[in-house]
């Protein structure tokens, strides 16, 4: 074993540390490291968890990538997709595509005797991914949309249900109009109630049979207003987008889930800034504390430094000794910080203790993402940055005279 590492281990675990100033200094150093690890783990795991959860909820409701007609523009009423140049089978067979779901949207009003709500009726067909949608259901059931005739069952959001005091099996009247045509009335039965916590979705969308939307919009039985493309990995949206866009023809356009609601996308980007800022602050605090610990330990062991120099130890060896020594006393703080941080995150992940207002945060509980790579990177990063930060202060050792230091008490 090399001399600096051997000697640093001897003094790091020496019983003498329990009877002098080192005890307090070591405690402060370990505490700062533990707090830094705890705050960093919570910041990264909840920040990444929030980003991932919001993106997944938007994507699971409306597809990772949506294909629309260029005639639709930003209207809630869907124009039929153009079949010209649309290579549907190739799109469906792409290795990155998990599934396709057709739909047609039409705007309308839900009305009962006491109140009304403006809504967007999202008509879905036999390729509707009911299993994917189940995670949003809070009451009732998902009806089967087989495109045979007209299914009068609908799924409404929890917010709309509360506004109109509706529950499963209740009936509700919907009013639709197209351009200057006469208003069309439809009576629906509430089959289920969903909740995504995404206000921009829950405020307006109801799910029903695509044949109703086709009839109201005057479309043919094979027309669709759009296709939701579900990918196997949500993180591949940017990479898969160009290939999908190439297969849909020039009269249609593709829209990523991250671009569909720009205000939510802007909100998600804030997490990156907050994570970087908090991690930077915590690293600065840890570095300052560790440098303080190193300097005090050097001053406290000036006699030992003089003796080591007299015995032939080089400045580089003694500097390495003290850097190793400081890093070794950081390890317990590192372990305790990880244990407490991961414990708190596990409690939040499995019990959802901390709640949020979905009106402001788009989620009702603080989500947690356990990413092993980031967890290891935080611990290794703190050790590496601390080791580099101690290099310059350790040069103080080269200024210590062996003769004067042996006399120093």
């Amino acid at each position: 074993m090399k001399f600096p590492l051997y000697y640093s281990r001897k003094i790091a675990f020496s019983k003498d540390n329990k009877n002098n100033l080192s005890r307090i200094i070591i405690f402060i150093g370990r505490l700062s490291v533990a707090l830094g690890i705890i705050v960093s783990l919570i910041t990264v795991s909840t920040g990444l968890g929030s980003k991932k959860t919001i993106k997944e909820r938007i994507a699971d409701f409306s597809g990772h990538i949506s294909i629309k007609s260029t005639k639709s523009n930003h209207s809630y009423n869907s124009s039929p997709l153009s079949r010209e140049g649309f290579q549907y089978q190739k799109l469906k067979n792409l290795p990155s595509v998990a599934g396709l779901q057709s739909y047609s949207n039409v705007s309308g009003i839900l009305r009962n005797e006491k109140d009304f709500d403006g809504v967007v009726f999202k008509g879905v067909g036999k390729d509707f991914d009911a299993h994917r949608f189940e995670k949003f259901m809070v009451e009732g059931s998902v009806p089967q949309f087989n495109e045979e005739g007209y299914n009068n069952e609908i799924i409404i959001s929890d917010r709309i249900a509360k506004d109109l005091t509706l529950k499963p099996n209740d009936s509700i009247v919907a009013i639709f109009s197209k351009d200057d045509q006469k208003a069309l009335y439809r009576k629906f039965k509430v089959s289920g109630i969903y909740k995504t916590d995404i206000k921009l979705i829950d405020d307006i969308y109801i799910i029903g049979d695509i044949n109703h939307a086709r009839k109201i919009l005057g479309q043919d039985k094979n027309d669709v207003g759009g296709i939701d493309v579900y990918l196997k990995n949500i993180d591949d949206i940017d990479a898969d987008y160009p290939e999908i866009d190439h297969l849909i023809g020039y009269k249609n356009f593709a829209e990523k889930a991250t671009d569909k609601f720009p205000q939510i996308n802007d909100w998600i980007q804030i997490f990156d800034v907050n994570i970087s800022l908090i991690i930077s602050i915590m690293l600065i605090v840890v570095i300052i504390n560790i440098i303080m610990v190193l300097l005090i330990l050097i001053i406290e062991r000036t006699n030992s430094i003089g003796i080591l120099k007299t015995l032939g130890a080089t400045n580089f060896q003694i500097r390495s000794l003290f850097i190793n020594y400081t890093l070794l006393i950081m390890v317990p703080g590192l372990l305790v910080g990880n244990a407490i941080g991961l414990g708190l995150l596990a409690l939040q992940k499995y019990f959802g203790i901390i709640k949020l207002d979905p009106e402001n945060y788009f989620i009702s509980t603080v989500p947690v993402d356990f990413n092993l790579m980031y967890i290891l990177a935080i611990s290794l990063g703190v050790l590496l940055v601390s080791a580099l930060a101690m290099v310059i202060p350790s040069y103080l050792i080269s200024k210590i005279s062996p003769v004067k230091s042996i006399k120093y008490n």
Side-chain angles (χ1 to χ4, degrees):
M1 184 181 294
K2 292 185 178 180
F3 163 69
L5 181 58
Y6 170 79
Y7 194 80
S8 61
R9 288 182 61 184
K10 294 289 286 184
I11 61 175
F13 302 109
S14 171
K15 293 182 179 179
D16 293 340
N17 290 337
K18 299 179 181 179
N19 303 314
N20 53 27
L21 183 62
S22 295
R23 181 178 179 181
I24 300 173
I25 300 306
I26 289 171
F27 175 77
I28 293 173
R30 287 173 177 170
L31 181 63
S32 68
V33 171
L35 290 176
I37 293 292
I38 292 169
V39 173
S40 298
L41 282 174
I42 292 175
T43 300
V44 171
S45 295
T46 56
L48 293 177
S50 298
K51 286 179 60 178
K52 184 177 180 180
T53 301
I54 294 171
K55 287 170 65 177
E56 283 181 347
R57 289 189 178 184
I58 294 173
D60 284 340
F61 184 88
S62 58
H64 298 87
I65 297 175
S66 288
I67 302 169
K68 303 177 183 178
S69 167
T70 53
K71 295 180 180 179
S72 293
N73 297 321
H74 298 288
S75 171
Y76 284 125
N77 291 341
S78 301
S79 296
L81 283 181
S82 171
R83 295 185 178 87
E84 190 175 342
F86 197 126
Q87 302 178 63
Y88 180 87
Q89 202 57 44
K90 284 189 177 180
L91 177 63
K92 187 176 182 179
N93 292 335
L94 286 177
S96 57
V97 172
L100 304 177
Q101 176 180 290
S102 56
Y103 70 90
S104 281
N105 289 342
V106 58
S107 58
I109 296 173
L110 286 185
R111 191 187 74 179
N112 59 16
E113 295 177 355
K114 297 180 179 180
D115 210 344
F116 67 91
D117 256 344
V119 297
V120 173
F121 180 95
K122 182 173 183 176
V124 295
K126 55 189 176 184
D127 56 3
F128 177 61
D129 194 340
H131 179 70
R132 187 184 295 271
F133 195 83
E134 280 286 351
K135 65 170 70 69
F136 299 130
M137 296 296 293
V138 294
E139 217 176 330
S141 60
V142 178
Q144 289 187 343
F145 302 109
N146 53 25
E147 298 186 46
E148 295 178 3
Y150 296 91
N151 188 332
N152 290 323
E153 293 182 304
I154 60 171
I155 310 170
I156 64 174
S157 73
D158 182 63
R159 207 241 358 131
I160 294 173
K162 288 177 179 176
D163 282 354
L164 302 178
T165 59
L166 294 171
K167 59 185 184 299
N169 296 319
D170 283 352
S171 295
I172 185 72
V173 173
I175 307 170
F176 302 98
S177 63
K178 181 188 174 187
D179 300 329
D180 297 327
Q181 295 179 6
K182 185 179 178 180
L184 299 173
Y185 291 79
R186 293 289 185 273
K187 188 175 182 179
F188 294 111
K189 175 186 174 183
V190 177
S191 173
I193 298 172
Y194 77 88
K195 184 180 182 182
T196 67
D197 284 329
I198 306 295
K199 179 178 171 60
L200 297 176
I201 292 174
D202 292 351
D203 278 357
I204 59 174
Y205 281 96
I206 65 174
I207 310 296
D209 191 335
I210 193 171
N211 282 338
H212 283 295
R214 287 169 174 158
K215 179 70 173 178
I216 295 164
L217 294 170
Q219 297 175 357
D220 294 335
K221 63 177 183 179
N222 294 320
D223 284 340
V224 296
I227 293 178
D228 293 329
V229 180
Y230 293 105
L231 304 176
K232 293 178 180 177
N233 189 342
I234 191 172
D235 295 326
D236 294 337
I237 289 180
D238 292 331
D240 295 334
Y241 176 83
E243 188 174 16
I244 291 171
D245 189 52
H246 178 69
L247 298 174
I248 63 176
Y250 69 95
K251 291 186 178 180
N252 302 315
F253 72 98
E255 184 178 40
K256 293 180 281 188
T258 48
D259 296 336
K260 186 169 293 186
F261 303 103
Q263 51 274 68
I264 296 179
N265 193 43
D266 292 341
W267 168 257
I268 290 174
Q269 300 307 317
I270 294 175
F271 286 108
D272 293 329
V273 177
N274 290 343
I275 291 172
S276 301
L277 182 62
I278 294 173
I279 294 294
S280 299
I281 292 172
M282 292 313 303
L283 277 176
I284 292 171
V285 171
V286 170
I287 288 170
I288 291 173
N289 278 281
I290 292 301
I291 290 175
M292 179 193 72
V293 169
L294 175 63
L295 292 176
I296 294 176
L297 290 176
I298 290 173
I299 294 171
E300 188 191 29
R301 292 186 176 271
T302 302
N303 257 341
S304 300
I305 293 172
I307 293 171
L308 289 171
K309 284 190 173 184
T310 303
L311 293 174
T314 64
N315 285 325
F316 177 78
Q317 286 178 317
I318 300 173
R319 283 171 55 208
S320 299
L321 185 157
F322 275 91
I323 290 175
N324 290 337
Y325 175 29
T326 308
L327 290 175
L328 282 172
I329 66 176
M330 285 174 60
V331 171
L334 204 68
L335 296 175
V336 171
N338 274 287
I340 295 175
L342 293 174
L344 293 173
L345 289 170
L347 287 173
Q348 177 60 30
K349 183 177 180 66
Y350 296 109
F351 297 101
I353 298 170
I354 301 176
K355 306 293 183 182
L356 294 174
D357 180 7
E359 292 282 328
N360 297 318
Y361 297 99
F362 306 110
I363 41 180
S364 55
T365 59
V366 176
V368 173
D369 180 28
F370 280 120
N371 190 309
L372 183 61
M373 183 180 71
Y374 285 107
I375 292 171
L376 292 175
I378 289 171
S379 296
L380 293 175
V382 168
L383 283 174
L384 180 61
V385 171
S386 298
L388 293 174
M390 287 187 286
V391 171
I392 295 177
S394 67
Y395 273 101
L396 178 64
I397 291 169
S398 63
K399 304 296 182 182
I400 296 176
S401 167
V403 176
K404 292 181 180 179
S405 61
I406 292 174
K407 294 179 180 179
Y408 177 77
N409 195 341

